[in-house]
Structure formats: structure tokens, C-alpha cells
């Protein structure tokens, strides 16, 4: 077979490890050929590809980003997009695709499968918000980076007796905030799933200062005050209709200072959470996803996504994986509350 590989949506550490595993096993175990499509769905849409040989995936296991490039191109927003993809795949002699992405990229994969194309999905996103898999790769790395930042911010917060608000990514899911907040011993964790009460947050901040400690607050970019709205970085939306979030950390630090009189600072971790080398956990997970994805393609088991269930890699229908976002359940958040204040 001749198999196309693409990476779409926000990049994350571990993408190259998947590509490496797919190509290495596909060539050595099955004798398949590979082409890499550029920049997510833009590659098949515009017919931009290049051969992908084992030599191309050497020394990329630990490399962040994606050697194929990424984009948030949505072919279903382009007139005749599906027909163009079909034609470009035929012209390149491509029989099947491995699509590595999150809810948007895999949502397109699902629709293309419905149109009769052979696609297998691999779940990536630092947000860990894809249904049907216990974890996505990239999440562990993002949590490690955020935890390291919290550790560092704690020492400077203590020195200056300041409240430090750390804004993390995650869009509409609070997984990065919850895990990095727990790992970093945060005194307040705020997630998009549960609107927060600013008065209660200020009470926790004061309680922490009364114990002679400086509070660390981890806030997800999509967290919102009760009765308020998400804070948007800009009014722009991407090709999948997503708004750009950002700014709630600064807003909250200002509110804390105004309401409590305690000096406060905000740090927005932003894209640093997506950059650099994957953790060992993410390297192993992405490698295993890649190995199982090429097995699925080889068997012609299309319309599936590889997923982690416990410690096993399984295949689930793309429809199930993209049906709804996996958000933080209330009871998981409640576990962390004992550490607040
Ligand atoms: O989905 C991954 C993610 O990093 C989100 O956490 C964040 O909201 C978004 O992508 C940022 O997107 P962009 O890289 O387009 O600014």
C-alpha cells in the first residue's frame, strides 16, 4: 500500500514519534510506502506531499513539533474540498491515510471515512479532551512543563509575598489546570467546567497569606467567573469556529489585588506548554499509538482511532472519539478542593 500521513491542529510533543513508528513498522513489517502531507488537511486539499522514508524519521523521536507541519485547515469549509482531496490522493497513488490530530482533525477524518476514504486516526492534543481514550499524547509533556513553571513561580511568590496566577491552556477542558495544579500543589485551581466565585477565590488567597505563605492559583484559559463569560484574546475564530482564549489570568490577578489589597502577578504559559521534547511517557504512548495505527491501516480497519484504555491500546470508531469532548468530571475536581486556601 501507499499510505499518506498528516498532522493537523495545534502541534504537540510526540507527533514525530508517531510518524516514526508508523513509517518504521509500515516499511519493515509490511513493506508499505509512505508519503507525508504538509500542514494537516491543507496537504491533501492542495496536493502537497513528499515521500516519507525511514531515513526521514531518524532522530525525530525526541523532537517537538511536527516534521510535516500543521494547520487548522477545514476541507469541509472549502467548496469542492472533499472531491479535491479524493482526486489528489488518487493522483499521488495514496490508498489510505493516517491522520494524527485532535477533535477537529479527527472530525474531518470521520467525515472523510463517511465519504468512502480509508482513514485511521491517532489522538493528539495537550488538552487531553478527546473522548474514547484515557489519555492523548502531548498532555503529559504540557503538564510537566506547567508543573515545572509552578515550582519556579512558588519561590519568587514566597520571596515577594505575592499571589501568583498561572494561566494554562486547555481550551474548554480543565485537565492541564487540574493535573499541573495538583502536581504543583496549587492553592486554587480553576477550570472551565465549573464557573468560579471571585469572592471565594479571594477568601482562599487571604487564608493562604494568613498562614504566611504566598498563594499559587492555576487557572485554565477557558475558566470563567460565575455569571461572567470566557475571556477572549481576540474576536477571531478559526476554520472550525473556535475562539482564541486568553487573558483570564491577568483579569483575575487584577481582581485579587483590587479586592484583597495583596500584590498579585499573572503569568501566561501559552505555547511554551506545546513546545520542546516530549516526556518519556509521551514518547512511549505516541510510539505505541503509531505501531497500532499502522496495524489498523494494514488490516484495512478504517474509520477507527487508536485509543488508550488502561494500559492497552485499542481501536474505537472515529464517530465515538469525536462525539463529545472529554471534560473534567465534577467529582474529579472535588478531589482537589481539600488543598484550596
Ligand atoms: O488545542 C490545543 C491548544 O493549545 C489549546 O489549548 C489552545 O486554546 C489552542 O490550542 C491555541 O491555539 P493556537 O495555537 O492556534 O493559538
Amino acid at each position: 500500500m501507499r499510505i499518506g500521513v498528516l498532522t493537523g491542529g495545534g502541534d504537540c510533543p510526540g507527533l514525530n514519534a508517531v510518524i516514526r513508528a508508523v513509517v518504521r513498522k509500515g516499511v519493515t513489517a509490511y513493506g508499505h510506502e509512505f508519503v507525508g502531507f504538509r500542514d494537516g488537511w491543507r496537504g491533501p486539499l492542495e496536493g502537497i506531499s513528499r515521500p516519507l522514508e525511514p531515513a526521514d524519521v531518524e532522530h525525530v523521536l525526541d523532537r517537538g513539533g511536527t516534521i510535516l507541519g500543521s494547520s487548522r485547515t477545514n476541507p469541509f469549509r472549502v467548496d469542492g474540498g472533499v472531491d479535491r482531496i479524493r482526486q489528489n490522493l488518487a493522483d499521488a497513488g495514496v490508498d489510505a491515510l493516517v491522520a494524527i490530530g485532535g477533535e477537529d482533525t479527527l472530525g474531518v477524518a470521520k467525515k472523510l471515512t463517511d465519504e468512502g476514504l480509508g482513514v485511521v486516526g491517532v489522538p493528539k492534543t495537550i488538552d487531553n479532551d478527546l473522548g474514547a481514550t484515557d489519555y492523548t499524547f502531548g498532555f503529559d509533556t504540557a503538564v510537566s512543563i506547567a508543573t515545572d513553571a509552578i515550582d519556579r513561580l512558588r519561590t519568587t511568590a514566597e520571596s515577594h509575598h505575592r499571589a501568583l496566577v498561572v494561566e494554562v491552556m486547555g481550551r474548554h477542558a480543565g485537565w492541564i489546570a487540574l493535573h499541573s495544579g495538583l502536581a504543583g500543589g496549587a492553592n486554587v485551581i480553576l477550570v472551565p467546567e465549573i464557573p468560579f466565585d471571585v469572592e471565594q477565590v479571594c477568601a482562599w488567597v487571604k487564608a493562604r497569606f494568613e498562614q504566611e505563605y504566598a498563594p499559587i492559583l492555576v487557572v485554565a484559559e477557558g475558566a470563567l467567573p460565575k455569571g461572567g463569560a470566557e475571556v477572549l484574546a481576540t474576536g477571531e475564530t478559526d476554520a472550525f469556529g473556535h475562539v482564541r482564549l486568553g487573558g483570564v489570568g491577568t483579569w483575575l490577578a487584577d481582581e485579587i489585588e483590587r479586592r484583597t489589597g495583596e500584590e498579585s502577578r499573572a503569568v501566561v504559559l501559552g505555547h511554551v506548554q506545546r513546545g520542546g521534547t516530549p516526556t518519556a511517557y509521551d514518547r512511549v504512548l505516541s510510539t505505541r499509538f503509531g505501531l497500532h495505527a499502522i496495524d489498523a491501516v494494514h488490516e484495512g480497519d478504517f474509520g477507527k482511532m487508536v485509543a488508550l484504555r488502561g494500559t492497552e491500546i485499542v481501536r474505537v470508531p472515529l464517530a465515538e472519539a469525536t462525539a463529545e469532548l472529554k471534560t473534567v468530571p465534577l467529582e474529579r475536581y472535588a478531589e482537589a478542593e481539600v488543598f484550596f486556601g
Side-chain angles (χ1 to χ4, degrees):
M1 289 170 92
R2 197 165 156 80
I3 300 158
V5 184
L6 63 88
T7 54
D11 70 338
C12 78
L15 287 165
N16 293 323
V18 180
I19 300 168
R20 169 180 174 269
V22 165
V23 172
R24 288 280 292 273
K25 185 164 188 184
V27 170
T28 56
Y30 300 128
H32 295 315
E33 282 179 12
F34 291 88
V35 295
F37 283 101
R38 287 294 305 178
D39 302 340
W41 291 114
R42 191 167 79 86
L45 188 66
E46 296 180 12
I48 313 167
S49 68
R50 62 165 164 108
L52 202 50
E53 310 276 353
D56 298 313
V57 294
E58 271 175 22
H59 310 303
V60 301
L61 174 61
D62 60 344
R63 193 158 136 196
T66 161
I67 56 170
L68 296 176
S70 192
S71 76
R72 297 192 191 277
T73 304
N74 182 354
F76 287 90
R77 281 264 186 107
V78 176
D79 266 351
V82 176
D83 291 336
R84 276 167 62 183
I85 289 182
R86 201 189 300 280
Q87 190 58 52
N88 287 331
L89 294 186
D91 290 349
V94 168
D95 308 298
L97 283 174
V98 175
I100 310 165
E103 51 159 332
D104 299 328
T105 305
L106 298 182
V108 170
K110 195 246 161 223
K111 288 195 209 162
L112 289 177
T113 305
D114 295 343
E115 298 279 342
L117 297 180
V119 191
V120 167
V122 178
K124 74 83 230 191
T125 165
I126 64 165
D127 302 343
N128 195 38
D129 60 356
L130 265 176
T133 184
D134 290 351
Y135 286 102
T136 53
F137 69 88
F139 172 65
D140 185 66
T141 307
V143 168
S144 300
I145 293 167
T147 303
D148 181 57
I150 293 166
D151 291 347
R152 287 168 192 280
L153 292 167
R154 182 181 303 288
T155 60
T156 170
E158 298 284 3
S159 304
H160 290 269
H161 317 290
R162 287 173 177 151
L164 252 159
V165 181
V166 188
E167 182 182 307
V168 297
M169 281 186 165
R171 206 173 257 167
H172 306 298
W175 292 110
I176 299 176
L178 181 66
H179 280 229
S180 64
L182 274 174
N187 311 106
V188 178
I189 301 170
L190 304 174
V191 297
E193 292 83 350
I194 303 157
F196 60 88
D197 175 351
V198 189
E199 275 306 317
Q200 173 64 77
V201 170
C202 289
W204 283 323
V205 165
K206 280 198 230 155
R208 193 70 187 159
F209 275 120
E210 276 158 21
Q211 299 163 54
E212 302 291 324
Y213 291 111
I216 300 283
L217 302 91
V218 176
V219 54
E221 61 182 352
L224 63 161
K226 275 184 183 156
E230 288 172 324
V231 181
L232 305 184
T234 65
E236 291 165 32
T237 52
D238 67 17
F240 290 90
H242 298 298
V243 289
R244 255 178 74 190
L245 297 167
V248 66
T250 306
W251 178 85
L252 186 61
D254 290 347
E255 279 299 303
I256 290 170
E257 202 162 287
R258 192 172 67 76
R259 292 173 186 238
T260 67
E262 300 287 358
E263 202 181 348
S264 306
R265 293 283 191 277
V267 173
V268 181
L269 294 186
H271 292 84
V272 75
Q273 293 159 98
R274 293 209 324 231
T277 58
T279 57
Y281 178 90
D282 274 339
R283 292 181 206 188
V284 173
L285 183 59
S286 7
T287 298
R288 292 185 71 210
F289 276 156
L291 297 174
H292 284 261
I294 192 60
D295 288 347
V297 172
H298 182 71
E299 291 167 26
D301 194 8
F302 300 124
K304 297 287 172 60
M305 180 188 86
V306 290
L308 181 70
R309 293 273 169 86
T311 56
E312 300 304 312
I313 308 290
V314 298
R315 294 176 200 166
V316 295
L318 275 168
E320 187 188 323
T322 53
E324 63 181 84
L325 278 192
K326 183 183 68 188
T327 51
V328 174
L330 291 186
E331 60 276 14
R332 281 293 295 279
Y333 181 75
E335 287 175 359
E337 281 176 340
V338 70
F339 299 109
F340 293 2

